[in-house]
Amino acid sequence: LGGSLFGVGDGEGINDVGDIVGGSTDANWNYYATAWNTRDLDAVPRLLPSPQHSGSWSWATKVNNYGIVAGSYGNDTVAENAAAWTLR
């Protein structure tokens, strides 16, 4: 995917309206849930905000046609939690 935030970006899920979700690394190589759109693959991807309790990593795996994203996040004390975001 174009426009990665720093190092790598990978897509994990796509919907019928062209939303793509997955993850990207930032300048410190932290991995965060990220969204792209097929209408502009060269645009800088959008980091999805961490849930209320910010984690040291997050990952988006699925997106439905309403822009609701499912994934997970974690940190040093919590191995993994379910997460949800909305794109619209």
Side-chain angles (χ1 to χ4, degrees):
L1 295 170
S4 66
L5 294 172
F6 182 72
V8 298
D10 65 290
E12 296 288 334
I14 188 170
N15 63 16
D16 293 334
V17 295
D19 298 312
I20 302 169
V21 296
S24 285
T25 54
D26 66 8
N28 295 318
W29 290 96
N30 298 307
Y31 194 79
Y32 293 112
T34 309
W36 297 263
N37 193 287
T38 59
R39 290 181 290 276
D40 190 359
L41 289 176
D42 291 321
V44 174
R46 176 169 55 133
L47 284 179
L48 300 176
S50 294
Q52 287 182 339
H53 304 289
S54 62
S56 57
W57 63 269
S58 60
W59 181 29
T61 55
K62 306 281 185 201
V63 59
N64 70 13
N65 289 339
Y66 298 104
I68 298 171
V69 179
S72 56
Y73 74 99
N75 57 38
D76 293 337
T77 58
V78 177
E80 186 170 4
N81 280 312
W85 299 269
T86 183
L87 299 180
R88 296 180 259 298

